[in-house]
Amino acid sequence: KQWYQRRVAITAGGSDSEHEASRRVKSELLIQMDGVGACTTDGPTKSVIVLAATNFPWDIDEALRRRLEKRIYIPLPCPEGRKSLLDINLKQLPIEADIDKDKIADGLIGYSGADITNVCRDASMMSMRRRIQGLTPEQIKAIPKDELNMPITAQDFQEALAKVSKSVSEEDIEKYVKWMDEFGAV
């Protein structure tokens, strides 16, 4: 994925001001992608799948876009997805037994997976922040670890939601949907 993300940056739509080295790298990438399926000598059961992701599909070069047979839009998480993301992010953290994850998930409408991770991370730090507030570095060092690793509360989530904003706007979603309508292939 890392390799591909770097290549997408290089293969963003060509222009007159595009550097020659970028053009050569783009050309080589496209040639290699064209040859991927043609070089298999192991029979018809062997194939190569190119899986890529981008937050900016409209920046993909036309030639590269044509080579990506399936282009799908993955929307923001649904209620079940938001709850699953909460479960994943909170799996190894202490949380109060009375926390209603469904209610928290309902409060995360419009949040991306990364946003939900940030909310969980921020909520997990709230009890420690409260405990060390106003203390000197020496006093903080003297606090026992069990006093810093308190369970996450519903209030921690409320405070985290007040601090962590959504990173995807309605206009962004409209832009993705418009791109999918024009170029998507499922």
PDB file of all heavy atoms in Angstrom, residues 13 54 57 60 66 69 78 90 102 120 122 127 140 153 162 181 185:
ATOM      1  N   GLY A  13      -2.684  13.319 -12.457  1.00  0.00           N
ATOM      2  CA  GLY A  13      -2.868  13.814 -13.815  1.00  0.00           C
ATOM      3  C   GLY A  13      -1.685  14.570 -14.373  1.00  0.00           C
ATOM      4  O   GLY A  13      -1.162  15.470 -13.724  1.00  0.00           O
ATOM      5  N   THR A  54      -7.097   5.345  -2.391  1.00  0.00           N
ATOM      6  CA  THR A  54      -6.734   6.755  -2.397  1.00  0.00           C
ATOM      7  C   THR A  54      -7.873   7.572  -1.824  1.00  0.00           C
ATOM      8  O   THR A  54      -9.036   7.180  -1.910  1.00  0.00           O
ATOM      9  CB  THR A  54      -6.397   7.253  -3.822  1.00  0.00           C
ATOM     10  OG1 THR A  54      -6.047   8.640  -3.753  1.00  0.00           O
ATOM     11  CG2 THR A  54      -7.567   7.081  -4.768  1.00  0.00           C
ATOM     12  N   PRO A  57      -9.442  10.220  -5.613  1.00  0.00           N
ATOM     13  CA  PRO A  57      -9.518   9.487  -6.879  1.00  0.00           C
ATOM     14  C   PRO A  57      -9.516  10.390  -8.099  1.00  0.00           C
ATOM     15  O   PRO A  57      -9.081   9.977  -9.175  1.00  0.00           O
ATOM     16  CB  PRO A  57     -10.840   8.715  -6.752  1.00  0.00           C
ATOM     17  CG  PRO A  57     -11.647   9.483  -5.773  1.00  0.00           C
ATOM     18  CD  PRO A  57     -10.648  10.067  -4.815  1.00  0.00           C
ATOM     19  N   ILE A  60      -6.132  10.804 -10.001  1.00  0.00           N
ATOM     20  CA  ILE A  60      -5.489   9.687 -10.686  1.00  0.00           C
ATOM     21  C   ILE A  60      -5.424   9.965 -12.183  1.00  0.00           C
ATOM     22  O   ILE A  60      -6.405  10.379 -12.799  1.00  0.00           O
ATOM     23  CB  ILE A  60      -6.247   8.365 -10.424  1.00  0.00           C
ATOM     24  CG1 ILE A  60      -6.201   8.023  -8.936  1.00  0.00           C
ATOM     25  CG2 ILE A  60      -5.652   7.221 -11.244  1.00  0.00           C
ATOM     26  CD1 ILE A  60      -7.042   6.822  -8.559  1.00  0.00           C
ATOM     27  N   ARG A  66      -7.719   3.817 -16.287  1.00  0.00           N
ATOM     28  CA  ARG A  66      -8.194   2.817 -17.247  1.00  0.00           C
ATOM     29  C   ARG A  66      -7.674   1.424 -16.907  1.00  0.00           C
ATOM     30  O   ARG A  66      -8.335   0.430 -17.167  1.00  0.00           O
ATOM     31  CB  ARG A  66      -7.765   3.184 -18.669  1.00  0.00           C
ATOM     32  CG  ARG A  66      -8.583   4.285 -19.281  1.00  0.00           C
ATOM     33  CD  ARG A  66      -8.294   4.407 -20.770  1.00  0.00           C
ATOM     34  NE  ARG A  66      -6.891   4.646 -21.082  1.00  0.00           N
ATOM     35  CZ  ARG A  66      -6.338   5.840 -21.199  1.00  0.00           C
ATOM     36  NH1 ARG A  66      -7.061   6.925 -21.007  1.00  0.00           N
ATOM     37  NH2 ARG A  66      -5.063   5.958 -21.515  1.00  0.00           N
ATOM     38  N   GLU A  69      -9.421  -1.910 -13.203  1.00  0.00           N
ATOM     39  CA  GLU A  69     -10.711  -2.403 -13.711  1.00  0.00           C
ATOM     40  C   GLU A  69     -11.875  -2.099 -12.780  1.00  0.00           C
ATOM     41  O   GLU A  69     -12.949  -1.742 -13.227  1.00  0.00           O
ATOM     42  CB  GLU A  69     -10.640  -3.914 -13.928  1.00  0.00           C
ATOM     43  CG  GLU A  69      -9.694  -4.320 -15.026  1.00  0.00           C
ATOM     44  CD  GLU A  69      -9.602  -5.811 -15.153  1.00  0.00           C
ATOM     45  OE1 GLU A  69     -10.526  -6.521 -14.719  1.00  0.00           O
ATOM     46  OE2 GLU A  69      -8.583  -6.280 -15.687  1.00  0.00           O
ATOM     47  N   CYS A  78     -21.260   2.559   8.525  1.00  0.00           N
ATOM     48  CA  CYS A  78     -22.670   2.466   8.914  1.00  0.00           C
ATOM     49  C   CYS A  78     -22.725   2.236  10.432  1.00  0.00           C
ATOM     50  O   CYS A  78     -21.678   2.073  11.070  1.00  0.00           O
ATOM     51  CB  CYS A  78     -23.332   1.311   8.168  1.00  0.00           C
ATOM     52  SG  CYS A  78     -22.622  -0.301   8.576  1.00  0.00           S
ATOM     53  N   LEU A  90     -11.201  -0.271  21.195  1.00  0.00           N
ATOM     54  CA  LEU A  90     -11.281  -0.346  22.657  1.00  0.00           C
ATOM     55  C   LEU A  90     -10.952  -1.738  23.187  1.00  0.00           C
ATOM     56  O   LEU A  90     -11.006  -1.959  24.404  1.00  0.00           O
ATOM     57  CB  LEU A  90     -12.684   0.066  23.116  1.00  0.00           C
ATOM     58  CG  LEU A  90     -13.110   1.481  22.730  1.00  0.00           C
ATOM     59  CD1 LEU A  90     -14.578   1.710  23.078  1.00  0.00           C
ATOM     60  CD2 LEU A  90     -12.222   2.514  23.400  1.00  0.00           C
ATOM     61  N   ASP A 102     -23.574   1.316  21.510  1.00  0.00           N
ATOM     62  CA  ASP A 102     -24.523   1.660  20.449  1.00  0.00           C
ATOM     63  C   ASP A 102     -24.825   3.154  20.473  1.00  0.00           C
ATOM     64  O   ASP A 102     -24.906   3.798  19.426  1.00  0.00           O
ATOM     65  CB  ASP A 102     -25.823   0.860  20.604  1.00  0.00           C
ATOM     66  CG  ASP A 102     -25.628  -0.614  20.295  1.00  0.00           C
ATOM     67  OD1 ASP A 102     -24.850  -0.930  19.369  1.00  0.00           O
ATOM     68  OD2 ASP A 102     -26.238  -1.449  20.985  1.00  0.00           O
ATOM     69  N   CYS A 120     -11.557   7.462  20.065  1.00  0.00           N
ATOM     70  CA  CYS A 120     -11.238   6.439  21.062  1.00  0.00           C
ATOM     71  C   CYS A 120      -9.914   6.730  21.767  1.00  0.00           C
ATOM     72  O   CYS A 120      -9.801   6.597  22.990  1.00  0.00           O
ATOM     73  CB  CYS A 120     -11.193   5.053  20.417  1.00  0.00           C
ATOM     74  SG  CYS A 120     -12.804   4.454  19.874  1.00  0.00           S
ATOM     75  N   ASP A 122      -8.482   9.657  22.132  1.00  0.00           N
ATOM     76  CA  ASP A 122      -8.652  10.829  22.985  1.00  0.00           C
ATOM     77  C   ASP A 122      -9.426  10.470  24.247  1.00  0.00           C
ATOM     78  O   ASP A 122      -9.059  10.890  25.349  1.00  0.00           O
ATOM     79  CB  ASP A 122      -9.353  11.941  22.205  1.00  0.00           C
ATOM     80  CG  ASP A 122      -8.994  13.303  22.733  1.00  0.00           C
ATOM     81  OD1 ASP A 122      -7.818  13.692  22.636  1.00  0.00           O
ATOM     82  OD2 ASP A 122      -9.891  13.983  23.258  1.00  0.00           O
ATOM     83  N   SER A 127      -8.960  10.261  31.437  1.00  0.00           N
ATOM     84  CA  SER A 127      -8.778  10.047  32.882  1.00  0.00           C
ATOM     85  C   SER A 127      -7.364  10.431  33.317  1.00  0.00           C
ATOM     86  O   SER A 127      -7.171  11.018  34.384  1.00  0.00           O
ATOM     87  CB  SER A 127      -9.094   8.599  33.263  1.00  0.00           C
ATOM     88  OG  SER A 127      -8.192   7.706  32.644  1.00  0.00           O
ATOM     89  N   ILE A 140       3.844  14.079  38.838  1.00  0.00           N
ATOM     90  CA  ILE A 140       3.315  13.150  37.833  1.00  0.00           C
ATOM     91  C   ILE A 140       4.110  11.844  37.861  1.00  0.00           C
ATOM     92  O   ILE A 140       3.533  10.760  37.806  1.00  0.00           O
ATOM     93  CB  ILE A 140       3.330  13.789  36.426  1.00  0.00           C
ATOM     94  CG1 ILE A 140       2.340  14.947  36.378  1.00  0.00           C
ATOM     95  CG2 ILE A 140       3.017  12.753  35.348  1.00  0.00           C
ATOM     96  CD1 ILE A 140       2.418  15.787  35.110  1.00  0.00           C
ATOM     97  N   THR A 153     -14.852   6.306  30.584  1.00  0.00           N
ATOM     98  CA  THR A 153     -16.241   6.543  30.979  1.00  0.00           C
ATOM     99  C   THR A 153     -17.033   7.148  29.815  1.00  0.00           C
ATOM    100  O   THR A 153     -16.453   7.605  28.823  1.00  0.00           O
ATOM    101  CB  THR A 153     -16.308   7.513  32.178  1.00  0.00           C
ATOM    102  OG1 THR A 153     -15.836   8.802  31.736  1.00  0.00           O
ATOM    103  CG2 THR A 153     -15.470   7.030  33.344  1.00  0.00           C
ATOM    104  N   ALA A 162     -16.404  16.216  21.717  1.00  0.00           N
ATOM    105  CA  ALA A 162     -16.389  17.683  21.660  1.00  0.00           C
ATOM    106  C   ALA A 162     -15.064  18.194  21.095  1.00  0.00           C
ATOM    107  O   ALA A 162     -15.009  19.282  20.506  1.00  0.00           O
ATOM    108  CB  ALA A 162     -16.632  18.267  23.049  1.00  0.00           C
ATOM    109  N   ASP A 181     -20.053   8.056  -9.735  1.00  0.00           N
ATOM    110  CA  ASP A 181     -21.059   8.010 -10.800  1.00  0.00           C
ATOM    111  C   ASP A 181     -20.417   8.102 -12.176  1.00  0.00           C
ATOM    112  O   ASP A 181     -20.857   7.460 -13.133  1.00  0.00           O
ATOM    113  CB  ASP A 181     -22.071   9.154 -10.630  1.00  0.00           C
ATOM    114  CG  ASP A 181     -22.995   8.956  -9.452  1.00  0.00           C
ATOM    115  OD1 ASP A 181     -23.098   7.804  -8.937  1.00  0.00           O
ATOM    116  OD2 ASP A 181     -23.629   9.956  -9.012  1.00  0.00           O
ATOM    117  N   ALA A 185     -16.600   1.554 -11.257  1.00  0.00           N
ATOM    118  CA  ALA A 185     -16.819   0.268 -11.930  1.00  0.00           C
ATOM    119  C   ALA A 185     -16.773  -0.800 -10.848  1.00  0.00           C
ATOM    120  O   ALA A 185     -15.738  -1.024 -10.248  1.00  0.00           O
ATOM    121  CB  ALA A 185     -15.739   0.027 -12.978  1.00  0.00           C
TER     122      ALA A 185
END
